[in-house]
Amino acid sequence: MNSRTITRAEYEDISYPGLGLTFEKARKLKEFLDSKKLSKALDFKLSGIKTGSYVGVIKYADFQLNIIPKIIGDTNSVCLENLAFMLSYTRQLTIHTTGAAQLTNCQNPFLEVLIAHYADVFLKALSRQVPHRYEPREENLATIKGKILFAQNIRHNFGNLARTYCKFDEFTPDNLLNQTLKFVSHALQKLTSVSQTRQKLLKINAVYDEVTLRPITYAETQKIILNRNQTIFKEPLELAQMFLQNSTISLHNHTFTNLAILFDMNKLFEEFVYMALKRTYPKWNIKAQNAKLIIASINNILNTDYTIRPDIIVNGNTIIDTKYKIIDLPNKRPSESDIYQMLAYAKFYGIKNIILCYPTYQKNYNHLSVLEDKGCSITLLTLDLHQKLTEQNIYLTFVHSLFSH
C-alpha cells in the first residue's frame, strides 16, 4: 500500500479525514509519540490535530506527515536548507545543504536528507576501516583455544575426547557496533525512495556481508564503547542511534515500521543563537540556561521551590531570551507573561539590559524599545531567517546585529 504523505507547517490545524486517519489510528499514533517522549509534538483534538513547534517527519503505518518550519525560509527549499544548516551548526551534523536542496522535491525531503547524510558519513568512515573487535565466543572445538569450560565440556563431550568445549576471544567484524550499523543501513535502504542513496546503502551492506543481520534495539547500543581507532564511527553510530531511538522495528523483515524524527524549533532557535554568539565572540563570557533559585520553599514544604532560567547571559551584563514565535506589531506582540518574565530576570539577576529575540516574520525590528526604566531596559530584536543561512557569514551578520545598538 502506498503511504499517504502530507506536508504542513508549524501551528496548523489538520482534520483527521484530511490526514486519512480514523479515531482509532489517531489514538495509536498518540500512543506511539508518547512512547518516544514526543507527546508535545502534536496536539490531538476532537476534530483533528494541530502541529506545534516540532518540525521533521512522522511515519506511522501507511501515513506520513512532514512538518516544515514556516519562519525560516520563504520556500520549502529554503526552509529545508536552513533547517539543515541550523542542525549542522548546533549539533555538529555535517549535513551538506546543497544535498538538502537537491532532495527538496522528494516525497519525504527531511527524512531523505537524514538518510543520505547517514549513508555519506558511514561510507566515508568505511573507506578507512571496517571496525573489528575481540568478541567472547564459546564453541565445541577440535583443538583447544582459549580456556576450557569444564562443566560444559563434560555435558557436551562426555566420552568424546575428539572435542573440547572452550571459551575464547575472537578478533571479528561480527560485533555489536557493526551489527547495529548493518541493521540500520538495511532498514534505511528499504525506507529511502532515492536511488542514489539506496545504492550507497546497498554498498554498505555488501561490505558487511560477514556481519550478522539482526534487529537491534536502542538500549543495546548503549553498551557500545568506541575505542581510539573507532572514533571515525562516532557520527554514523549517533545517527543510527537516533533512528533506533525514534522508531519501532519489524522483527519479521528488519525494517522501521514507524518513525518520528522531530526537532523542537524553540530549543533549536535558542541553541542556534547561543552557538552563533559563542563562535563569533569566543573571548566573551557567554552562558546558557544559567538557573537561579528565587524561592527555596513555601513554608518549608518539600518540592515547592522556584527557579528562573534565562536562555543566554552575555558578559554578566546582558540577558538574551529567544522566543520562537511570530512577532508582527501590533497584532502579534510580546505576551504579558514574556514581559513579566523579563522583569523577573532583571530583578533577580541584577541585569538591566534585556533583549527579546524573535525570528523575523514579515517585518524586521532592530532593537525596538519595549521598556526603558532605571532598573530595566527591554528591547525587541528580530533575526532574519528567511534568507539562505548557507551564504557566507550570514549568521555573523545577524549575530553582530545583537550588539550593534
Side-chain angles (χ1 to χ4, degrees):
M1 181 185 297
N2 291 330
S3 296
R4 179 181 174 86
T5 302
I6 293 178
T7 299
R8 291 291 187 272
E10 312 138 298
Y11 300 103
E12 283 194 11
D13 290 300
I14 318 169
S15 68
Y16 290 130
L19 293 167
L21 287 176
T22 62
F23 283 111
E24 179 62 17
K25 188 176 285 188
R27 183 184 65 81
K28 290 183 177 179
L29 171 60
K30 185 178 186 305
E31 289 177 356
F32 167 66
L33 293 175
D34 290 346
S35 73
K36 299 302 175 184
K37 299 180 180 179
L38 291 169
S39 56
K40 296 180 180 179
L42 297 176
D43 184 12
F44 288 82
K45 301 179 178 181
L46 188 62
S47 59
I49 64 172
K50 183 172 184 176
T51 58
S53 64
Y54 285 76
V55 300
V57 60
I58 298 170
K59 179 184 180 298
Y60 188 81
D62 62 341
F63 165 76
Q64 298 179 57
L65 174 63
N66 299 312
I67 308 172
I68 60 172
K70 61 184 176 183
I71 310 180
I72 66 167
D74 292 321
T75 65
N76 286 359
S77 175
V78 175
C79 278
L80 189 61
E81 290 181 67
N82 285 354
L83 180 58
F85 180 83
M86 293 174 76
L87 289 171
S88 300
Y89 199 70
T90 57
R91 300 171 190 272
Q92 287 74 53
L93 293 178
T94 54
I95 303 173
H96 297 295
T97 51
T98 52
Q102 292 170 359
L103 294 170
T104 302
N105 295 323
C106 295
Q107 190 179 46
N108 250 318
F110 182 64
L111 181 59
E112 293 292 359
V113 167
L114 292 176
I115 297 175
H117 178 55
Y118 169 81
D120 287 339
V121 297
F122 191 11
L123 273 177
K124 183 179 179 180
L126 278 180
S127 68
R128 295 176 62 180
Q129 63 162 298
V130 176
H132 285 60
R133 285 174 180 254
Y134 282 102
E135 295 291 321
R137 297 279 190 265
E138 293 183 10
E139 287 186 33
N140 205 15
L141 303 173
T143 57
I144 295 175
K145 188 176 182 180
K147 69 177 183 179
I148 300 172
L149 299 177
F150 289 99
Q152 290 90 330
N153 190 53
I154 292 171
R155 186 164 61 249
H156 287 87
N157 299 317
F158 186 76
N160 179 15
L161 300 179
R163 290 198 166 269
T164 308
Y165 202 92
C166 301
K167 181 178 181 180
F168 57 95
D169 289 332
E170 183 179 27
F171 194 60
T172 174
D174 197 14
N175 52 63
L176 181 57
L177 171 61
N178 285 336
Q179 289 169 2
T180 298
L181 294 171
K182 179 171 183 174
F183 170 69
V184 171
S185 299
H186 177 84
L188 294 179
Q189 176 243 310
K190 293 192 172 185
L191 193 60
T192 182
S193 60
V194 178
S195 59
Q196 186 178 4
T197 304
R198 187 181 298 111
Q199 290 303 314
K200 292 177 181 178
L201 294 168
L202 286 170
K203 185 177 180 179
I204 290 169
N205 288 325
V207 173
Y208 272 21
D209 186 53
E210 297 180 25
V211 177
T212 302
L213 175 63
R214 67 178 184 89
I216 301 288
T217 64
Y218 173 73
E220 285 182 86
T221 68
Q222 298 300 97
K223 303 173 187 176
I224 298 173
I225 300 175
L226 299 178
N227 62 38
R228 184 176 59 186
N229 296 325
Q230 295 170 346
T231 54
I232 57 174
F233 291 92
K234 181 177 183 292
E235 189 175 3
L237 176 60
E238 288 177 346
L239 287 166
Q241 289 173 321
M242 178 189 69
F243 284 115
L244 291 170
Q245 187 178 18
N246 296 286
S247 65
T248 54
I249 297 166
S250 168
L251 300 179
H252 173 64
N253 57 4
H254 300 164
T255 58
F256 298 137
T257 51
N258 304 312
L259 188 71
I261 299 179
L262 300 165
F263 298 94
D264 185 355
M265 287 302 300
N266 289 318
K267 190 65 179 174
L268 183 59
F269 182 54
E270 175 191 330
E271 290 177 356
F272 181 64
V273 173
Y274 171 72
M275 287 302 299
L277 283 167
K278 289 283 284 186
R279 295 186 188 186
T280 308
Y281 306 108
K283 295 182 179 180
W284 287 14
N285 181 17
I286 301 172
K287 297 179 180 179
Q289 294 284 322
N290 187 28
K292 180 183 281 288
L293 180 69
I294 59 173
I295 299 176
S297 67
I298 298 175
N299 199 31
N300 295 319
I301 299 172
L302 292 176
N303 300 321
T304 57
D305 58 304
Y306 289 82
T307 60
I308 54 175
R309 188 179 287 105
D311 293 338
I312 304 166
I313 300 179
V314 181
N315 292 334
N317 59 26
T318 301
I319 287 176
I320 300 174
D321 215 60
T322 60
K323 303 292 183 184
Y324 188 77
K325 301 176 180 178
I326 291 175
I327 190 79
D328 187 18
L329 300 176
N331 300 319
K332 299 285 186 179
R333 62 180 185 173
S335 67
E336 290 185 0
S337 62
D338 287 344
I339 300 300
Y340 297 153
Q341 185 182 26
M342 299 308 108
L343 292 172
Y345 290 160
K347 174 179 173 57
F348 287 102
Y349 282 85
I351 295 176
K352 177 180 178 179
N353 191 30
I354 311 286
I355 300 174
L356 269 171
C357 181
Y358 295 81
T360 298
Y361 178 55
Q362 291 180 339
K363 302 174 186 175
N364 272 313
Y365 300 103
N366 186 19
H367 289 280
L368 195 67
S369 178
V370 177
L371 173 67
E372 191 64 43
D373 185 73
K374 65 179 181 178
C376 181
S377 172
I378 303 176
T379 57
L380 186 152
L381 174 75
T382 55
L383 303 182
D384 187 2
L385 304 180
H386 289 280
Q387 56 194 320
K388 287 188 179 181
L389 298 178
T390 50
E391 294 176 11
Q392 188 175 14
N393 294 329
I394 281 292
Y395 57 91
L396 292 177
T397 301
F398 71 68
V399 169
H400 283 304
S401 72
L402 281 165
F403 297 99
S404 63
H405 187 62

